């Protein structure tokens, strides 16, 4: 189970960054934009959780946490429940306004599902093809690494924006 242990460690590292970014972050910090086209912390954390949720749910064969647990209703965003942030405009980024508690709650629900799923995988499961639309086809292992890479990228961006926001005395 070394593969699962490594993946759990990686997803836990994402969680650590997300929690550090959200700690004591008020609306000014969460909505800070270094320029009008930049992503906010609120959008970055929401987006990384949405992408993880949207990609883990089919691996498990269950509905996304976003809709199954009512997070889409609680967030009340001005786009459909299938939106993940991919391709969002600057105006759509600005529309993601939320408290740190709500963002953290959704992220934690997605994270908990992911962490519960990983130990269920046998080594042979990692080679299962989940998307033939790519060459080579995407396996469970590749999908999981892709999710981690995307999450770490966006969590790092959120940490950077938080640093800028703090320097701006927000």
């Amino acid at each position: 189970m070394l593969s699962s242990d490594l993946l759990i460690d990686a997803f836990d590292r994402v969680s650590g960054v997300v929690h550090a970014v959200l700690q004591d972050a008020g609306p000014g910090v969460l909505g800070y934009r270094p320029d009008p086209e930049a992503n906010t912390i609120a959008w970055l954390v929401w987006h990384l959780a949405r992408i993880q949720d949207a990609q883990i749910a089919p691996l498990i064969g269950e509905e996304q946490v976003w809709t199954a647990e009512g997070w889409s209703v609680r967030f009340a965003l001005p786009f459909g429940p299938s939106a993940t942030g991919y391709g969002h405009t600057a105006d759509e980024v600005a529309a993601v306004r939320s408290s740190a508690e709500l963002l953290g709650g959704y992220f934690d629900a997605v994270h908990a599902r992911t962490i519960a799923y990983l130990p269920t995988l046998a080594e042979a499961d990692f080679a299962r093809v989940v998307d033939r639309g790519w060459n080579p086809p995407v396996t469970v292992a590749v999908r999981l690494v892709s999710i981690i890479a995307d999450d770490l990228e966006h969590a790092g961006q959120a940490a950077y924006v938080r640093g800028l926001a703090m320097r701006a005395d927000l």
Side-chain angles (χ1 to χ4, degrees):
M1 287 308 210
L2 181 58
S3 298
S4 293
D5 293 340
L6 289 171
L7 292 167
I8 289 168
D9 183 70
F11 279 106
D12 282 345
R13 289 171 191 242
V14 173
S15 180
V17 175
V18 167
H19 282 277
V21 166
L22 294 178
Q23 185 175 358
D24 301 321
V29 170
L30 293 171
Y32 178 74
R33 295 176 103 167
D35 75 42
E37 300 292 314
N39 295 328
T40 65
I41 292 170
W43 185 88
L44 287 162
V45 171
W46 170 81
H47 171 66
L48 73 85
R50 287 294 297 123
I51 292 297
Q52 184 175 332
D53 192 10
Q55 292 190 36
I56 291 291
L59 296 179
I60 298 171
E62 295 179 6
E63 183 180 352
Q64 293 178 31
V65 170
W66 181 247
T67 52
E69 295 183 11
W71 292 100
S72 64
V73 173
R74 284 179 256 182
F75 273 79
L77 298 175
F79 16 87
S82 65
T84 62
Y86 183 76
H88 268 182
T89 66
D91 288 342
E92 289 168 322
V93 168
V96 179
R97 294 186 189 120
S98 175
S99 68
E101 292 78 20
L102 188 61
L103 288 162
Y106 175 53
F107 172 81
D108 286 345
V110 171
H111 181 71
R113 176 189 258 186
T114 301
I115 296 304
Y117 165 64
L118 294 172
T120 71
L121 296 170
E123 288 301 314
D125 294 328
F126 290 105
R128 180 171 55 92
V129 173
V130 295
D131 187 348
R132 295 194 182 280
W134 297 92
N135 187 15
V138 176
T139 62
V140 169
V142 169
R143 177 63 41 91
L144 291 169
V145 169
S146 176
I147 295 166
I148 292 166
D150 188 68
D151 279 0
L152 284 172
E153 179 180 346
H154 292 312
Q157 290 167 352
Y160 180 73
V161 173
R162 181 179 171 114
L164 293 175
M166 300 312 288
R167 286 176 187 78
D169 286 332
L170 295 179

